[in-house]
Each structure stands twice: as structure tokens, then as C-alpha cells.
Amino acid sequence: MQILPRPLLPALLALLLLPGAPARAQLGETSCPELVAWAREHEVHAERDMSLGWDRLPPRQEVMLPGLFLAPATTATFGKPALEWDRQDLRTLGSRLRACARDREMRPHREVLAEAQRLVSGPASTFLQHRQRVLAELPVQLERLAQQPFAPALLPFLTTLAAAGEPAGWQAAQQDWRELPGAARGTGHQLLRLVPYLLPEDRSHLLLPELERQRAQRQAEARQASLDELAALPPNPRGLAGLEAMEQGPVWPLLRPEDRAEVVAARQARGAALLEEIEAGLRRRIAAVPASLPAFNRLAAIRRDAALAALPADRAAALTAELEERSRSLAATMLDRLGVELAERPETVESLGHVVLVTQRVTEALRPHAEAATLAAFKESSTRRIAAMAAAALPEFVVLLEAVPAAGLDSLQAPPWIAALPPPHAGRYASALADRRAKLEAAIAAERAAEAAREAGPLAGRHYATPDGAMRLEFLDSSRVLVTQAATQTTIAGSYEEIAGERLILTLPDTNVVLQRQGRRLDGGAVVLERQAAP
């Protein structure tokens, strides 16, 4: 915040009017007849009555100085104008008037003297003492206003405050006062209370010069605030929007013509600098994108960036071309790296599966970005390399298949990379897998048939149980069965019927159960029991 210098002239003038100031000229000596002669001119000079303020002015009402005190006779009688009187002068004059009123020789003039005394102790004293307080307080409040930090609302208030001595001007100043920031509102309120009580010469000598000085200072601050605002604009679309919005801001209408011309030139220069910074920033972002698949998402984000759209059409087109070139360059680099990785990979089944899937994924991802010729050349070379790896890894693949036991038949599924192998290798790997599955399925079928043959025959005397022991079956003879529930430790007697040596129908007190004979197992779907050794 810039501190304004204390107004020297208002401070000195106010100092001269304060009680206890250096010695000033006293009222001249006057006789009672001279006081009577002076007092009788009251009616003559009524047209000189001076009033300040008005009825609706808060918080004080109108104050009035009778015209007698402004008449030449007052200066001639007392040696100085009434407007220069202080409190002591008023007391001195009041004492003289009272003394003359008690003088017997002045008895015929007591009413005149009493009226003069009333004017001195009443309206004149109120007017002059109030004026002294106003003149003492005015420089203090003006200085406080000058110390406030810059705010656009200060300039309109300084303008309308100059005319606040009249009701219409005061209303206008009050409207501008309402727009002041909080810190300045208190000071502005005090000035609105003081200005209506200034005489024209007070406004000319004490108020208007200081207001004009502060206006000049605030206009200089408005200019600097505009330049600072320009300097603070960020190099992005928000900063460019800020350039356009300056003319709609609160400071712009307050600039002097010469300051506005300077700000316009600075705004043009700042706009050009912002565009340069935005363009340079976009180029740095493009150059910083690494050669990886997520890089293309980053390049796409730059294409959608509002900063690119904010550039002039020719600059935006040039940067878009750079984006496309960067995209092609990154795609070519990635394809080169993948080609090197393919060449260095060992010719194993594990490497083959990895290479096939990675090559497929990367090729599809780079299709929109790589040049057609580059992509075609990579696909040709990678196909040759994958074919060589597939040929070399096929024996290992067969060995791995042979190591899969019958229990692993369900997991023996074709991995997705087999279908992506170039012909004829995809068919060879699929055939090897199908052959192994067929062998395992045949072995499993033979084992099940042998087991069924071993387990054929009557069920009498056999025991079956679930793997967790929750249920046990004991076949007593060709029709009776005992069912034991481990949870309740109860045994239920039931009957059974065997159909074609393959299915059993168990009849229990509360339910019927159908079981399928499968070798050593009885399969009921939700319940599977296996044969147990007889206890």
C-alpha cells in the first residue's frame, strides 16, 4: 500500500483554529454604547443570515449564523471578522453584553442587549464552535482516506464528495460511499458528516485541493493496478479471457485518457506475450511425451486442450501438425523397440505367448498413429519372427501337454495366443492340444469303465459316505438301507430299489432320493457319496 503524504495546508489551517493554538488577536475593547449600536443592526442585516446543513442531514440539523455577525459592522466593532472568533472570543463578548445589561445607564437598551446575548450564546456560538470542530476534524479524516489501500470505488467517491455541501451532491456522494470497501467506509462516513458544514471558502482552500490531489494519486494507482493486473495474467485461456474482460472491469472507466492509451498498448504487448508463452508451453508438453502407449492419450489431451483452441488459427494449425508428427514419430519408435524385443526373446512357449499378445495389442493401439508403410513393414517382420518362434517352441509345447494328467483335463484349454499365430502354426498348436485332450478323455473313459466293472454287483453289505462325513449309507440287504446323519447323530431306516444296475431310488420316511451309480460313487447331484471300507 502506498502511503500518501499528510496534507500540509489543511493541517496548518486546522491547527490555527484549535483551542490552545498560538496566541491570536483578541476582540477589540468596546463600550456599552458601541455594543448597543452594533446589536441594533441585527434586523438590518437579516438578509445576511448564513445556514449550513439541512434538516434531514444526519445526525445534526441545520446550523445558522445570524447576518449581524457577517456584517461589516462586526469587524469594525470588534477588530476581526466573526468567522475568526474562537470560544474565548464568544465568552468575552457574552460577558461584556451581560455586564452592559446590568449597567443602569443601559436600562433602556436591555432588550437589545438581551437579544444580542441570545444570538451570541445561541446560534452564533453553535455555528462557530461547530465550524471549529469541523475544521479540526476534516484534515484528520482526509488523511485517513488517503491512507486507505487502492480500491476502484474511491475515485467516484472523491469526485462526488467535492459537491456534498448541497443535498443533491450529498445524496450522490452517499451512493458512492456505499460502494467503498469496509476499511474506507468509516472514514467516508465521517467526511459525509463534515463536508456539508464547510463554508465556500473552506471548501475552496481546505477540501477541494486535497480531493484533487488524492484523485490524481488514485488515478495513478488505477493505472498501476491495471498494469499489475496485466502482469499477473497466467499464460492460459483464463489469462487471455482476462485481457478481454479488462474493459468491463471496475478500473477501466477510471483511467485517464493518457493512462488508458498506455494500458491499451501494454495489453496488446501482454496478449502477444501470453500467446508466445502458451505456444511454448504446448510445445514443451508435446516434446515431453515419452514413447509408450499412454503417450497417445496425452497427445490426445493436448489436442483437446483449450489452450490450443485459444491460439490464432495459423498457430493452432502449426501445433496440430507438430502433434501429428510427434504421434507418428512415437509410433515408429515403439515399433522399433518392439522389433528389437522380438529378436531378443528366447524361443520358448512362455515367450511365444507373451510376444504374440503384446504384438497384437501394440499393433492395434498404434494403427491410428503410425504411418501405413511403417506399420505394414513391422507386421511383416513380426510375423516372420513369431512364425520362427512358433516352429521352434512346438516340441516344448507338446512336452508340456504330455505332462498334463487326466485330472487336469478341464484346465486344458487353448490359450488365446494360439488363434493369433500365423498359419500354419495356429493349426499345428491347436491340433497338438486337441490330440492331447482326446488321449486324456479316452484314458478317463477307460478308467471309469474299469471302475464300473469292478464296482458292479449287489449293494448289500456296502458302506458309502460323503467326503465330509455328514451322511453315511449302510446297505443291509437287497432292499433295506440305514441313513446316518452326523449333525444329529441319528440313524434312519429306509428302503431302496435299484433300476438297471445304474440308478437307486432311496425311500426314507420324509423324502425320496435318486442316486446314480458311478463306479465307487453314488451321485445325487447336490450330494455325492463314496464307497468306504466296511467297519
Side-chain angles (χ1 to χ4, degrees):
M1 179 181 71
Q2 185 171 359
I3 303 300
L4 304 181
R6 181 182 177 91
L8 181 59
L9 179 59
L12 291 175
L13 290 175
L15 182 63
L16 295 175
L17 293 169
L18 286 173
R24 304 191 315 151
Q26 302 297 316
L27 292 181
E29 294 294 334
T30 51
S31 63
C32 289
E34 290 175 326
L35 287 177
V36 170
W38 170 75
R40 288 189 181 280
E41 295 198 22
H42 169 54
E43 298 296 336
V44 177
H45 299 290
E47 74 280 359
R48 295 178 181 268
D49 289 354
M50 175 184 290
S51 62
L52 296 175
W54 48 89
D55 291 344
R56 296 186 180 181
L57 178 67
R60 300 182 62 88
Q61 296 182 348
E62 182 180 22
V63 294
M64 188 269 292
L65 182 64
L68 171 62
F69 293 86
L70 296 171
T74 298
T75 303
T77 302
F78 300 106
K80 62 178 181 178
L83 292 177
E84 297 181 8
W85 293 0
D86 58 16
R87 184 177 301 178
Q88 184 58 44
D89 293 332
L90 292 169
R91 290 175 179 173
T92 299
L93 180 55
S95 298
R96 292 180 186 178
L97 289 170
R98 287 192 295 273
C100 290
R102 292 192 298 269
D103 191 336
R104 292 181 179 180
E105 295 182 1
M106 296 291 105
R107 183 175 297 176
H109 310 294
R110 283 181 179 176
E111 291 184 4
V112 174
L113 292 171
E115 176 64 13
Q117 186 177 348
R118 184 190 68 80
L119 294 177
V120 169
S121 61
S125 178
T126 299
F127 183 98
L128 294 174
Q129 291 188 52
H130 181 58
R131 179 169 181 265
Q132 288 182 9
R133 288 193 293 271
V134 168
L135 294 178
E137 184 65 17
L138 181 67
V140 176
Q141 298 301 330
L142 286 174
E143 181 182 358
R144 288 178 181 172
L145 187 66
Q147 302 303 319
Q148 297 298 323
F150 173 74
L154 284 169
L155 269 165
F157 180 69
L158 289 170
T159 300
T160 52
L161 184 62
E166 301 297 332
W170 190 89
Q171 290 291 340
Q174 188 184 43
Q175 292 294 328
D176 291 332
W177 166 78
R178 291 192 178 99
E179 303 299 323
L180 292 178
R185 293 193 71 183
T187 301
H189 178 69
Q190 294 300 322
L191 287 169
L192 284 174
R193 296 178 60 185
L194 297 174
V195 171
Y197 297 101
L198 294 176
L199 295 177
E201 54 267 33
D202 298 332
R203 287 195 292 272
S204 298
H205 293 93
L206 303 182
L207 179 66
L208 298 183
E210 176 61 14
L211 292 181
E212 185 58 32
R213 188 192 69 80
Q214 289 196 28
R215 274 183 53 81
Q217 182 62 39
R218 296 303 186 184
Q219 285 175 329
E221 291 174 350
R223 166 191 167 276
Q224 189 58 48
S226 297
L227 297 177
D228 292 343
E229 180 183 354
L230 286 173
L233 291 175
N236 55 35
R238 185 165 57 87
L240 294 176
L243 286 175
E244 299 299 324
M246 284 194 69
E247 293 188 18
Q248 285 73 48
V251 178
W252 189 267
L254 308 177
L255 295 174
R256 294 171 293 196
E258 60 273 20
D259 293 337
R260 187 172 300 169
E262 180 184 357
V263 173
V264 167
R267 184 176 65 171
Q268 293 174 345
R270 182 55 178 160
L274 287 178
L275 289 175
E276 292 291 340
E277 292 181 49
I278 291 173
E279 188 173 356
L282 290 172
R283 283 200 166 90
R284 287 193 297 271
R285 289 172 60 188
I286 293 171
V289 174
S292 63
L293 287 181
F296 299 101
N297 292 332
R298 292 174 60 177
L299 291 176
I302 296 175
R303 290 188 187 93
R304 298 189 302 268
D305 199 312
L308 181 60
L311 292 176
D314 56 340
R315 293 187 177 185
L319 271 175
T320 301
E322 291 184 25
L323 277 168
E324 299 302 327
E325 177 57 33
R326 179 61 173 165
S327 180
R328 289 190 293 270
S329 174
L330 289 175
T333 300
M334 293 178 63
L335 291 174
D336 288 343
R337 290 180 182 176
L338 185 55
V340 173
E341 182 182 354
L342 287 175
E344 295 176 351
R345 276 279 179 177
E347 295 175 337
T348 63
V349 173
E350 181 182 3
S351 290
L352 177 63
H354 172 78
V355 162
V356 169
L357 294 180
V358 169
T359 302
Q360 187 179 45
R361 180 169 64 91
V362 172
T363 302
E364 288 301 316
L366 297 182
R367 188 184 305 278
H369 311 290
E371 291 185 350
T374 303
L375 189 63
F378 172 78
K379 290 181 68 174
E380 181 181 353
S381 62
S382 63
T383 299
R384 287 197 304 270
R385 175 55 181 160
I386 290 173
M389 292 180 69
L394 182 58
E396 179 191 359
F397 183 69
V398 172
V399 171
L400 293 173
L401 291 177
E402 293 295 331
V404 176
L409 177 63
D410 291 340
S411 63
L412 198 60
Q413 304 295 330
W417 56 266
I418 288 182
L421 289 173
H425 302 286
R428 291 172 181 172
Y429 274 73
S431 295
L433 182 63
D435 290 347
R436 180 55 180 164
R437 283 187 61 88
K439 289 180 182 179
L440 291 177
E441 289 170 352
I444 292 172
E447 174 60 27
R448 287 177 179 174
E451 182 181 332
R454 290 192 302 270
E455 293 294 320
L459 293 172
R462 296 188 183 188
H463 295 259
Y464 292 83
T466 58
D468 58 2
M471 177 185 292
R472 294 182 63 88
L473 298 181
E474 180 182 353
F475 293 91
L476 300 177
D477 51 30
S478 61
S479 62
R480 293 183 302 160
V481 63
L482 296 178
V483 180
T484 301
Q485 299 284 349
T488 59
Q489 296 184 352
T490 58
T491 300
I492 302 171
S495 62
Y496 74 96
E497 179 183 0
E498 187 172 4
I499 301 173
E502 296 181 358
R503 288 190 299 173
L504 300 176
I505 299 177
L506 270 64
T507 302
L508 303 174
D510 296 328
T511 185
N512 293 330
V513 179
V514 177
L515 301 174
Q516 185 79 26
R517 290 188 69 170
Q518 293 181 353
R520 293 179 60 80
R521 296 192 304 276
L522 298 179
D523 191 346
V527 178
V528 178
L529 301 99
E530 291 197 14
R531 186 175 179 180
Q532 307 291 315

